[in-house]
Amino acid sequence: MILIVDFGSQYTEVLHRVVRETGIKVQVALPDEVNNFQTLSNANIRGVILSGGPHSVYGVGAPTLDKQFLDGRFPVLGICYGMQLMAHLLGGRVSRGHQAEYGPAKLNMSSRNANLVPDELLQEHVWMSHGDHVDALPEGFDCIAKTSDNLNAVIAHKDKKLLGLQFHPEVVHTTRGQSLIRHFVFNICGNEAGQQLQSFKPKAIELLDKQLASLEPNCDVLCALSGGVDSTVAATLLSEQIGQRLQCVFVDTGLLRKNEFNATLALYREKLQLNVHAVNSAELFLQRLQGITDPEQKRKIIGKTFIDVFEAESKKFTRCRALVQGTIASDVIESSHSSAHAQVIKSHHNVGGLPEKMNMSLVEPLRHLFKDEVRALGRELGIPEDFIRRHPFPGPGLALRVLGEITPERLALLREVDAVLIDQLHRDGLYDAVWQAFAVLLPVKSVGVKGDGRSYDSVVALRCVGSKDGMTADWSKLPLEFLATISRRITNEVAGISRVVYDITSKPPATIEWE
Ligand code: XMP
């Protein structure tokens, strides 16, 4: 078994998945849970991975570890905070974050330790997200590679199997990161290659069965459809298991893309044969969002309005005892339900709140799956490919992309721009080349010149990113001709836009959505 000690990193679930994909048994535990070292040393542990985390090793209440973990009995891989903690506990020095590094970086090799870390696995891009760094190595360690800012990026013990990485090997933007983790699991820890997990359906059904088992037999189950892939996959899975006992409610929040509500409703009813009750609540959402500009407040209002609408609708379904939601692993992580040490980045509206209010149990069969895994499951369930391949869309919808006040006019303006962007991506065969693409209406106006007159109109930002799971992302280097065409089309075809800008920020440090 590989033990992951979770110090609260945003990426622990990603790390968990990457190790799980090797087919080797893996257990995630909090630092307090593993500090009974004697009990643990009797368990069948082949190696330990110390995750990253938001703390500083010198900070008050910073999580720590029994030093015996580092006596060489187990191979240990320390990532980011895990590396800093390893260095700190073994007598090295960690410097507090004066020189932060976020996003992609290239490493410069300074020495070799081919057994612990083959050179070729460090040759391409790695992904940084840290403030602190190790500035004096503990005794017995060598620096294997540095960043271009001359910080220690990879450290390895000369004799023991102790390896520290300042960057995150688990995220997809570290090009050879998965190979590094596989090298640790198989070559350093000496595990045998296991079975790769191929199908996500048995796991999702197993979790679903457990969640359904506690319900009253033969009761109905209510499903909140959002129009996105996650809730559609959850509903289709449920429908396959319990048939007509699944009652779906699809709410028009007025915050979806152009024509999206009707097209999706047709798919639900005609192709997927789901039992769908359509509700138009656009006016209520807009009314409650009137005058609100703060992003967290917007999310909370939308979350609460969903609860209110569902509460009212659920009264019509008197046999329903549970509510299905398409919550996936990254929603859980970013809303900080995963670990006591993680920080809240954004409150995702589809986590928490609903069942307590509605006196219903919660059924979330996709809680352990990432976006790409949810898509694979959707294909297994026969959902059409063009729907599965649609870019992710946030539950709070266009509300997060109309910066500043949300009005029907500003929403309509954004919808037109967004439709042109998506259309041009399809026309140029670029839609599948990006992971997510959308427009953001900024709360500023700028001066333009149209014909011979001065204009003073809105600015839109275009955000196109590459990612695998939404946890890290890089901006898409789309062809300049595409950018030129899209800028020309938007300013010519959409009245009220004077300027188009392109967002060139990675995640981290930015998030994908602007709010
Ligand atoms: P961020 O902006 O956190 O986005 O980098 C990561 C991915 O999650 C989507 N997202 C959300 N999805 N409810 C959702 O269902 C939300 O509140 C929410 N906020 C962001 C975002 O579109 C991206 O794919």
Side-chain angles (χ1 to χ4, degrees):
M1 179 176 83
I2 298 290
L3 176 71
I4 297 177
V5 185
D6 177 12
F7 292 102
S9 169
Q10 297 294 321
Y11 306 131
T12 299
E13 270 298 322
V14 183
L15 178 64
H16 184 189
R17 181 188 56 161
V18 173
V19 179
R20 205 167 68 205
E21 279 176 356
T22 64
I24 300 299
K25 196 168 164 210
V26 53
Q27 178 82 39
V28 181
L30 295 173
D32 297 345
E33 293 168 338
V34 299
N35 274 338
N36 188 343
F37 183 79
Q38 290 316 328
T39 320
L40 269 181
S41 48
N42 295 329
N44 184 21
I45 295 175
R46 289 289 187 88
V48 178
I49 303 181
L50 311 179
S51 86
H55 303 270
S56 174
V57 289
Y58 300 116
V60 180
T64 188
L65 193 71
D66 188 328
K67 208 170 138 184
Q68 291 185 85
F69 270 96
L70 305 171
D71 65 5
R73 203 171 318 190
F74 309 121
V76 179
L77 168 63
I79 298 172
C80 198
Y81 180 82
M83 160 176 164
Q84 293 158 13
L85 183 64
M86 184 191 304
H88 173 63
L89 290 173
L90 295 177
R93 193 178 62 230
V94 175
S95 159
R96 300 193 72 164
H98 304 301
Q99 205 178 341
E101 289 177 308
Y102 297 104
K106 284 281 251 181
L107 301 182
N108 300 318
M109 304 298 295
S110 30
S111 65
R112 305 195 68 220
N113 185 331
N115 291 336
L116 278 189
V117 54
D119 297 0
E120 70 271 16
L121 297 184
L122 302 175
Q123 299 294 322
E124 293 177 40
H125 278 103
V126 300
W127 197 264
M128 293 287 182
S129 184
H130 69 107
D132 291 4
H133 63 274
V134 174
D135 73 349
L137 302 189
E139 213 183 301
F141 277 78
D142 288 322
C143 172
I144 307 297
K146 293 186 174 238
T147 67
S148 50
D149 291 333
N150 212 29
L151 305 181
N152 292 314
V154 180
I155 62 170
H157 196 280
K158 291 182 211 314
D159 313 309
K160 297 176 185 164
K161 293 176 172 177
L162 302 176
L163 176 65
L165 305 175
Q166 183 55 75
F167 60 88
H168 288 269
E170 65 276 35
V171 307
V172 286
H173 288 92
T174 294
T175 329
R176 304 294 307 274
Q178 302 216 352
S179 304
L180 254 172
I181 292 174
R182 293 181 71 83
H183 178 78
F184 178 76
V185 168
F186 293 122
N187 303 341
I188 304 181
C189 302
N191 284 303
E192 301 284 318
Q195 277 290 99
Q196 290 275 55
L197 298 177
Q198 294 294 342
S199 165
F200 298 102
K201 202 165 151 185
K203 274 234 152 219
I205 291 178
E206 190 187 317
L207 179 60
L208 177 60
D209 284 345
K210 267 194 211 142
Q211 295 174 343
L212 292 177
S214 56
L215 303 179
E216 195 180 294
N218 293 323
C219 66
D220 282 359
V221 174
L222 188 62
C223 177
L225 286 170
S226 71
V229 173
D230 305 343
S231 60
T232 304
V233 171
T236 311
L237 182 74
L238 256 291
S239 159
E240 211 184 80
Q241 300 300 302
I242 63 169
Q244 294 301 304
R245 284 170 52 206
L246 178 71
Q247 309 284 348
C248 300
V249 173
F250 184 27
V251 176
D252 189 353
T253 57
L255 301 169
L256 294 181
R257 288 181 145 133
K258 193 174 173 183
N259 300 332
E260 196 168 16
F261 188 80
N262 289 335
T264 312
L265 187 60
L267 170 89
Y268 287 154
R269 287 185 171 155
E270 290 153 31
K271 280 225 169 85
L272 301 178
Q273 312 284 321
L274 298 175
N275 233 344
V276 186
H277 176 73
V279 188
N280 187 344
S281 306
E283 228 170 274
L284 177 66
F285 277 87
L286 284 182
Q287 188 194 325
R288 291 200 183 167
L289 286 166
Q290 205 175 357
I292 306 296
T293 55
D294 176 71
E296 278 296 291
Q297 229 185 322
K298 283 181 187 174
R299 283 172 188 272
K300 292 200 169 122
I301 290 174
I302 293 169
K304 170 149 192 340
T305 309
F306 262 112
I307 294 174
D308 294 347
V309 170
F310 277 115
E311 241 180 341
E313 289 306 313
S314 68
K315 299 210 169 90
K316 300 177 187 160
F317 300 94
T318 50
R319 288 175 43 78
C320 287
R321 297 285 174 274
L323 182 76
V324 184
Q325 284 196 301
T327 312
I328 69 170
S330 51
D331 303 333
V332 180
I333 298 164
E334 298 223 331
S335 294
S336 197
H337 286 227
S338 60
S339 132
H341 295 284
Q343 289 186 350
V344 176
I345 305 293
K346 293 176 181 179
S347 352
H348 281 234
H349 86 266
N350 44 354
V351 179
L354 275 166
E356 285 145 56
K357 277 262 188 176
M358 296 178 58
N359 199 17
M360 283 200 198
S361 318
L362 192 57
V363 176
E364 292 178 312
L366 312 181
R367 253 185 109 80
H368 298 323
L369 300 182
F370 283 87
K371 198 84 201 181
D372 48 326
E373 298 175 332
V374 172
R375 287 194 171 124
L377 174 59
R379 287 190 187 98
E380 285 181 63
L381 293 167
I383 298 173
E385 188 62 26
D386 58 342
F387 186 83
I388 295 284
R389 294 235 291 250
R390 279 199 331 181
H391 294 166
F393 188 72
L398 299 183
L400 306 179
R401 299 175 181 174
V402 171
L403 271 51
E405 193 182 352
I406 300 166
T407 63
E409 297 73 30
R410 299 191 75 215
L411 272 171
L413 191 58
L414 178 63
R415 269 197 195 98
E416 292 306 318
V417 175
D418 189 75
V420 175
L421 170 65
I422 300 300
D423 175 62
Q424 193 63 38
L425 283 168
H426 281 300
R427 281 194 203 180
D428 288 359
L430 289 169
Y431 185 83
D432 290 332
V434 299
W435 191 77
Q436 191 172 17
F438 55 89
V440 182
L441 184 63
L442 305 188
V444 286
K445 290 202 165 191
S446 92
V447 175
V449 50
K450 282 189 178 167
D452 284 330
R454 175 188 193 269
S455 64
Y456 188 56
D457 283 329
S458 296
V459 183
V460 281
L462 306 182
R463 179 85 164 133
C464 301
V465 297
S467 180
K468 193 172 174 203
D469 47 29
M471 297 297 295
T472 55
D474 204 0
W475 60 281
S476 301
K477 280 85 186 167
L478 292 173
L480 290 178
E481 303 85 82
F482 171 83
L483 295 177
T485 308
I486 197 69
S487 159
R488 195 170 48 246
R489 277 195 65 190
I490 291 170
T491 44
N492 286 346
E493 294 175 28
V494 187
I497 301 294
S498 64
R499 203 174 288 266
V500 178
V501 297
Y502 191 60
D503 183 348
I504 52 167
T505 328
S506 59
K507 172 184 180 174
T511 52
I512 296 177
E513 302 289 344
W514 278 43
E515 290 198 333

